[in-house]
Amino acid sequence: MKWNRYSIKTTTQAVDLISSALDDIGIEGIEIQDNVQLTQEEAKTMFVDFIPELPPDDGTAVVNFYIDSDEDDGTLVKKAEQEIKDLRMFVDIGEGTITRSETEDKDWINNWKQYWHTFTIGNLYIKPTWEEITEEMKGHPVLSIDPGTAFGTGSHETTRMVIKQLEKYVKKGDRILDVGCGSGILSVVALKYGAEYALGTDLDPNAIIASEENSVQNNITKEQFEVIEGNIIDDKNIKDRCGYECYDIVCANILADVLEPLSVNIHEHMKHGAYFITSGIINTKEDEVVNAFKKNSELEIVEINHDGEWVNVTARRK
Ligand SMILES: C[S@@+](CC[C@H](N)C(=O)[O-])C[C@H]1O[C@@H](n2cnc3c(N)ncnc32)[C@H](O)[C@@H]1O
C-alpha cells in the first residue's frame, strides 16, 4: 500500500491543538517531530530506556499525517488547511504550510521477514513458521515462531540470554511464569526443554494473540501454555490468577524500569529455590537493577551475564 505523507510546519505550542483538529476531521495516526526532551516520567510510561540527546528546542515542530494514496482525493487535506486557518485565531501556528511527499510502497508490517531466518541457540533450532524443517534439524528441538507484531523472534541478545539460562535451569516437570511473554517464545522454549506448564502475561493484546498462535504452531496444548493480559506488578486479580508459591522459574525479558518494581514482590509467586531469570537490562542500568534485587531479602543473585550492551541477571528465591 502506498501512503501520501503530509507535513505541517508549525510550533510546539500548536501541536496538541492541530493533532486534535486532525483527529476531529477523521485523520488518524499522526506523527510529531520536535526537539522537546522526554521527561523521565514520560520515558517510563513509553518503555523507553534511553533518552536521546536532542538539539536545542527552537519551538518549531512538524506534524505528519498519512492518507492511503488510493483514497486521497484532496478532501481531507483541504479540511486540514481550513482547520489550521481557524486555529490561527487562537494559537501561534508558525508557518502552517502543508507539504506532500510519498512513502515507499512497502509492506511495512511484513518487510522485516526477509531478514529473519532459521538460527540456532545451543542445540535448539528457531525457525520462522514460513521456513521448512530441513534434514539438519532432524533430531534437534525445533521451534516455529511467528511473532506477528509482538516482540520475540529469539534473535535479540536479551531473548537469547534468557534462552541460554532456560537451557541450564529448566528441569522436567517445571512450572514457568513468563512475564512479558511477547511472542511466547520463552514459554515455548521452556516447554521444549521439558517444563510441564507455562503461564505467560503481557500488557499488549497482540502478544496474547501471537503467543496463542505460536503455541498451536509448536503442538503445545492449552493445558500446557496459557496466556493472560494484564500487569502482575500492581493488579491483584492478575496476581491471583498467576497463583502463589507455585513456579519453579519466572522469566522476564523486560526493561529495567519494569524489572525493578517487579522484583519487589515476584518471590510471592515462586517456590523456595525457584529461579528468576531476567534480561532486557541495558548495561547502564545494571547496578540499579542489581541493587533493586538486593533490596528483596527473599532473593539472592546467582548469575550476571552480558551480551553486547545487554545484561541478564538470574536470581534465586532463598
Ligand atoms: C522485550 S519484550 C520480550 C518478549 C519475549 N518474552 C522475548 O523474550 O523475546 C517485553 C514484553 O514485555 C511486555 N511488558 C512490558 N511491561 C510489562 C508488564 N508490566 N507486565 C507484562 N508485560 C509487560 C511488553 O509488552 C513486551 O511484549
Side-chain angles (χ1 to χ4, degrees):
M1 185 186 285
K2 227 173 182 169
W3 296 88
N4 293 336
R5 175 176 38 222
Y6 292 94
S7 305
I8 308 172
K9 268 200 172 169
T10 185
T11 63
T12 49
Q13 213 189 328
V15 158
D16 286 347
L17 283 172
I18 292 180
S19 310
S20 140
L22 294 178
D23 192 48
D24 289 346
I25 60 172
I27 292 172
E28 290 168 349
I30 60 142
E31 177 187 61
I32 298 166
Q33 294 170 309
D34 61 28
N35 287 331
V36 179
Q37 280 286 352
L38 283 182
T39 63
Q40 290 290 349
E41 272 317 297
E42 285 166 338
K44 263 186 197 168
T45 58
M46 294 163 77
F47 302 121
V48 173
D49 232 344
F50 313 94
I51 303 186
E53 273 297 316
L54 296 175
D57 174 18
D58 61 359
T60 63
V62 177
V63 178
N64 295 315
F65 63 91
Y66 297 83
I67 305 176
D68 179 348
S69 62
D70 291 337
E71 293 170 8
D72 189 6
D73 60 3
T75 319
L76 273 176
V77 180
K78 275 213 175 72
K79 282 189 186 169
E81 281 167 349
Q82 186 58 47
E83 290 289 335
I84 289 169
K85 212 166 151 194
D86 294 347
L87 284 175
R88 277 200 190 280
M89 285 186 270
F90 304 103
V91 67
D92 174 13
I93 294 285
E95 276 189 37
T97 49
I98 305 186
T99 49
R100 179 177 173 282
S101 54
E102 273 172 14
T103 60
E104 277 179 87
D105 189 8
K106 274 190 185 165
D107 176 357
W108 294 103
I109 293 190
N110 292 305
N111 195 38
W112 60 275
K113 289 184 177 174
Q114 62 185 295
Y115 304 107
W116 182 47
H117 298 290
T118 300
F119 64 101
T120 53
I121 300 179
N123 71 340
L124 181 74
Y125 280 79
I126 299 182
K127 71 168 201 63
T129 50
W130 51 92
E131 285 188 6
E132 299 296 321
I133 293 190
T134 60
E135 275 302 310
E136 66 171 331
M137 295 180 200
K138 295 199 173 138
H140 296 275
V142 180
L143 242 74
S144 290
I145 293 289
D146 181 350
T149 55
F151 185 101
T153 58
S155 50
H156 196 265
E157 291 94 327
T158 58
T159 313
R160 282 201 319 243
M161 279 195 285
V162 181
I163 291 176
K164 284 185 187 154
Q165 295 297 90
L166 289 172
E167 186 179 10
K168 186 164 172 184
Y169 291 111
V170 173
K171 301 180 306 307
K172 209 168 169 13
D174 273 358
R175 292 175 64 83
I176 313 291
L177 176 61
D178 180 4
V179 183
C181 58
S183 65
I185 188 165
L186 299 177
S187 292
V188 176
V189 168
L191 291 162
K192 290 265 176 205
Y193 284 147
E196 179 184 86
Y197 173 78
L199 176 66
T201 71
D202 208 292
L203 306 181
D204 176 2
N206 291 320
I208 309 302
I209 298 166
S211 291
E212 285 170 349
E213 287 175 357
N214 285 318
S215 181
V216 173
Q217 279 290 340
N218 290 282
N219 304 317
I220 288 164
T221 64
K222 287 190 171 136
E223 289 70 40
Q224 288 175 291
F225 181 30
E226 295 177 281
V227 211
I228 51 179
E229 186 181 333
N231 197 341
I232 196 176
I233 298 174
D234 56 13
D235 185 335
K236 174 78 167 60
N237 174 41
I238 298 294
K239 285 173 75 70
D240 290 349
R241 284 174 71 189
C242 290
Y244 299 94
E245 309 235 340
C246 55
Y247 294 97
D248 301 281
I249 291 183
V250 176
C251 52
N253 176 15
I254 320 187
L255 295 180
D257 288 340
V258 181
L259 291 176
E260 288 173 34
L262 181 65
S263 69
V264 176
N265 291 316
I266 194 65
H267 62 274
E268 294 172 0
H269 304 278
M270 299 161 64
K271 295 178 184 171
H272 287 279
Y275 291 95
F276 180 35
I277 302 173
T278 69
S279 187
I281 306 157
I282 193 74
N283 52 14
T284 51
K285 298 234 172 178
E286 176 177 339
D287 291 346
E288 226 179 82
V289 173
V290 165
N291 288 334
F293 280 30
K294 283 184 177 163
K295 280 194 195 133
N296 183 341
S297 59
E298 291 276 339
L299 298 176
E300 59 184 352
I301 293 175
V302 291
E303 259 189 74
I304 300 180
N305 298 297
H306 300 87
D307 188 344
E309 59 194 343
W310 297 99
V311 186
N312 145 247
V313 180
T314 300
R316 198 174 143 271
R317 184 172 180 194
K318 292 177 191 162

